Amino acid sequence: MAEHTDDLPATPPRHRAAVAVLLAATAALYLWGLGSSGWANSYYSAAVQAGSQSTKAWFFGSLDAANTITVDKPPAALWVMGLSARVFGVHPWSVLLPQALMGVAAVGVLYLTVRRWFGVGAGLIAGAVMALTPAAALMFRFNNPDALLVLVLVGAAYTVTRAIEDGATTWLVWTGALLGTGFLTKMLQAFVVLPALALAYLVAGPPEWPRRVRQLLLGGLAMLATAGCWMAVVALWPDDRRPFIGGSTDDSVLDLVFGYNGFGRLTGDGSARFGTWGEPGLLRLFGRTWAGHASWLVPAALLFAVAGLLITRRQPRTDRLRAAVVVWGGWLLVTGVTISLGEGTIHEYYSVALAPAVGALVGIGTSVLWARRGQRWARALLVTAVVVTACWAWAVLARTPDWNPWLRPLLLVAAVVAVAGLSIGVEAAAWGAGVALAAALLSPAAYSISTASRSHAGTTPGVGPVAAYRPGGLVDTLLDAPEVTDEVVELLQRDSDRYTWALATIGANAAAGHQLATGDPVMPIGGFNGTDPWPTLEAFQRLVDDGEVHYFLVTPVGSSSSISEWVTANFSTVEVDGLTFYDLTQPTDG
């Protein structure tokens, strides 16, 4: 284990070159063909477009520039993408570019965090494992909020690491601010790692325990202040002058925090249950549709975490190896259990949150055991990690035997050579370790390259050859925006400057597609999946009477049937490309 000093020694040129290669390769993986996914998740892309047109929509995270309703998440990730769209214009590349850059930054921050205590090699391994985690290769090329969430959480782990070094309160305040930013990205999901970070400082922080407690409380206040600032503004803003809070049942952020985006994800109660993504249980991460996303090195990471705790069982309270295991092992354990047992809407790509912890534990464990390679037990643990990782990778690859069938034989050869090299003795351990690392990263790298080489759209993107065994052939297009023809665009843009909304439709799916195609506000009645209670029939009727809405498109989703029934019974139709639009300026005799 590398000893830390306040001023880290200068990095040798060869190490700087290795770090540059890691970041450049990560950038290539995340930026390569970035625009191939088009608008990716059109739901968020439409909100980015709205934010580029309206500062109010940007602040609240509205789905349309006329501020009907917000997305069902807080707006921090949209703030970043919205600023990019304002600088570079609204197109897929400007929406996805910040995601890829945040991925490269997250890998870099993870490297810096692990390197401080365990050396350049450990940092490089940690960064490589994270970068090649298929879920990371997916989400850092997609416009869901997870990219920003992972970046700020890795940043929080870095600041806790610095706090454990010198006991400075400032670092814990920064930790709280970063966690608060994570809350403004995906709400309570950001706090899943909080127990691990707090426990690590409580156990290993240099000051006496009363001061450690006070410092953690100050960090907690910073977290609450950061998380609460946006919520306070929303609560104080007059209800009739801001958009409805999407995902809530009563137009309040608190309901969104503790319901749809909070405990509802765990219990499956209410609107937080939208589909079933794998049977809840402790083995969910290893299930058929989940395993390829982030589970490849989870067994090895857990093995290294246990080994770290055993190695440090007689060490002083402030031992840094133990502290690191608490940070990253606690992160992996709590996040993994939360995802595994959640009975609400828990998507496979949520497992991207495991990537930093898995990478850190593998990098740290490899470094610590390598430093002890002269002892048989250390080499035995490295061999065990290689065998477990290879066996699990073989099992996952076997689920799609027709996909790159050469991978399994190559994996077997690499694993055998690695085990032989690590087992023979210290002299052969060096090349054995190199082959072992290649064997461990081979399968997730193949999945990641496959993921980056194809387009993804909708709300449930998957990695690698996941389409081959998703139930019902579900691939990447659930709730994807429909294609909008030129004829439809021409219809909606005709005299659109006379109306606040060129079109209204139920659910954000169709609304997003038409809004992105026309550039004009489209009212997404009922929000994400059409079930939010806004606008009401009475409110919609007032808007129509005031001449605010031009057309209405009936869709087969959502629960706002009263609006659809009223429109279809009272307004004339226009047929364009097989779609029936109701002209809300042309009432029928009915």
Side-chain angles (χ1 to χ4, degrees):
M1 181 175 68
E3 292 296 330
H4 165 76
T5 59
D6 289 336
D7 295 319
L8 289 176
T11 304
R14 69 179 187 278
H15 289 166
R16 290 200 297 270
V19 175
V21 169
L22 170 65
L23 297 180
T26 302
L29 178 63
Y30 294 168
L31 289 167
W32 171 39
L34 189 61
S36 64
S37 293
W39 294 114
N41 189 333
S42 55
Y43 175 68
Y44 291 119
S45 292
V48 172
Q49 181 200 56
S52 71
Q53 299 172 343
S54 164
T55 301
K56 184 176 180 179
W58 177 82
F59 177 79
F60 285 105
S62 300
L63 277 164
D64 61 285
N67 291 288
T68 307
I69 192 168
T70 71
V71 299
D72 57 4
K73 299 290 186 297
L78 296 175
W79 292 343
V80 178
M81 290 184 280
L83 291 176
S84 176
R86 290 192 175 211
V87 172
F88 299 110
V90 181
H91 49 76
W93 185 82
S94 66
V95 172
L96 296 177
L97 176 63
Q99 310 298 98
L101 296 181
M102 285 189 284
V104 177
V107 170
V109 175
L110 180 64
Y111 161 78
L112 292 174
T113 306
V114 174
R115 181 225 171 187
R116 289 196 70 83
W117 292 354
F118 303 99
V120 172
L124 289 171
I125 293 173
V129 170
M130 178 182 172
L132 292 175
T133 299
L138 173 67
M139 297 317 296
F140 289 125
R141 296 172 53 87
F142 207 69
N143 59 327
N144 282 17
D146 300 76
L148 179 59
L149 177 68
V150 171
L151 174 59
V152 297
L153 293 186
V154 175
Y158 175 82
T159 54
V160 162
T161 298
R162 298 299 302 269
I164 293 173
E165 289 177 5
D166 55 24
T169 303
T170 302
W171 288 114
L172 291 176
V173 171
W174 276 112
T175 301
L178 286 165
L179 289 174
T181 303
F183 177 88
L184 294 178
T185 306
K186 286 197 80 175
M187 291 191 165
L188 292 184
Q189 185 177 342
F191 295 165
V192 172
V193 304
L194 175 59
L197 302 183
L199 180 61
Y201 188 77
L202 194 61
V203 169
E208 295 296 323
W209 74 264
R211 177 170 169 77
R212 297 199 302 273
V213 172
R214 291 194 297 270
Q215 289 175 310
L216 287 172
L217 290 175
L218 288 173
L221 289 175
M223 180 182 72
L224 293 176
T226 306
C229 59
W230 179 78
M231 294 177 60
V233 173
V234 174
L236 294 173
W237 205 292
D239 294 353
D240 59 350
R241 299 181 63 185
R242 63 163 172 79
F244 185 91
I245 303 302
S248 71
T249 59
D250 60 0
D251 193 23
S252 76
V253 177
L254 286 178
D255 180 75
L256 187 64
V257 171
F258 295 107
Y260 180 81
N261 282 331
F263 299 114
R265 299 278 173 166
L266 301 178
T267 64
D269 293 338
S271 59
R273 187 174 182 85
F274 181 71
T276 300
W277 308 102
E279 191 66 27
L282 289 177
L283 297 180
R284 179 189 239 171
L285 290 172
F286 304 95
R288 194 161 182 78
T289 63
W290 284 78
H293 286 75
S295 73
W296 303 93
L297 286 159
V298 167
L302 293 173
L303 174 65
F304 288 143
V306 173
L309 292 177
L310 291 176
I311 291 171
T312 59
R313 64 188 183 278
R314 294 191 179 94
Q315 297 302 312
R317 174 182 66 81
T318 56
D319 181 80
R320 288 174 178 171
L321 174 57
R322 183 194 295 117
V325 171
V326 173
V327 169
W328 300 111
W331 177 323
L332 176 60
L333 183 64
V334 177
T335 303
V337 169
T338 301
I339 291 175
S340 297
L341 299 183
E343 296 184 2
T345 301
I346 305 287
H347 296 293
E348 293 113 328
Y349 64 77
Y350 287 9
S351 58
V352 67
L354 301 174
V358 173
L361 289 171
V362 171
I364 292 168
T366 302
S367 173
V368 169
L369 294 177
W370 179 253
R372 295 164 170 78
R373 62 189 179 279
Q375 303 177 50
R376 289 185 178 180
W377 65 267
R379 295 202 305 277
L381 282 176
L382 288 171
V383 167
T384 302
V386 172
V387 172
V388 169
T389 299
C391 288
W392 176 237
W394 181 283
V396 175
L397 293 173
R399 295 173 178 178
T400 52
D402 296 330
W403 182 77
N404 292 334
W406 52 269
L407 273 173
R408 280 190 292 164
L410 182 59
L411 171 67
L412 178 61
V413 172
V416 170
V417 172
V419 169
L422 292 170
S423 302
I424 291 174
V426 176
E427 296 78 8
W431 59 263
V435 176
L437 183 61
L441 295 178
L442 174 64
S443 301
Y447 257 63
S448 293
I449 293 172
S450 172
T451 300
S453 64
R454 76 171 198 266
S455 62
H456 302 273
T459 62
T460 60
V463 302
V466 69
Y469 47 83
R470 272 191 167 184
L474 181 65
V475 189
D476 293 333
T477 57
L478 181 65
L479 290 184
D480 186 25
E483 292 290 336
V484 180
T485 65
D486 292 340
E487 290 75 14
V488 170
V489 171
E490 182 182 357
L491 171 72
L492 297 180
Q493 288 184 332
R494 193 178 304 152
D495 298 326
S496 62
D497 56 344
R498 296 171 53 189
Y499 304 92
T500 303
W501 292 274
L503 175 71
T505 187
I506 296 175
N509 181 26
H514 288 87
Q515 180 171 295
L516 289 167
T518 63
D520 295 319
V522 174
M523 181 185 294
I525 297 172
F528 175 57
N529 54 13
T531 58
D532 293 345
W534 186 258
T536 62
L537 174 59
E538 293 74 16
F540 185 74
Q541 287 173 331
R542 286 195 298 270
L543 293 172
V544 172
D545 289 343
D546 292 340
E548 300 281 352
V549 192
H550 195 178
Y551 291 103
F552 182 90
L553 175 64
V554 174
T555 60
V557 301
S559 60
S560 300
S561 57
S562 59
I563 292 179
S564 296
E565 292 172 358
W566 177 72
V567 169
T568 56
N570 290 281
F571 295 93
S572 60
T573 62
V574 179
E575 299 286 338
V576 179
D577 281 344
L579 296 176
T580 301
F581 293 89
Y582 289 83
D583 189 342
L584 301 182
T585 67
Q586 298 296 324
T588 63
D589 293 340

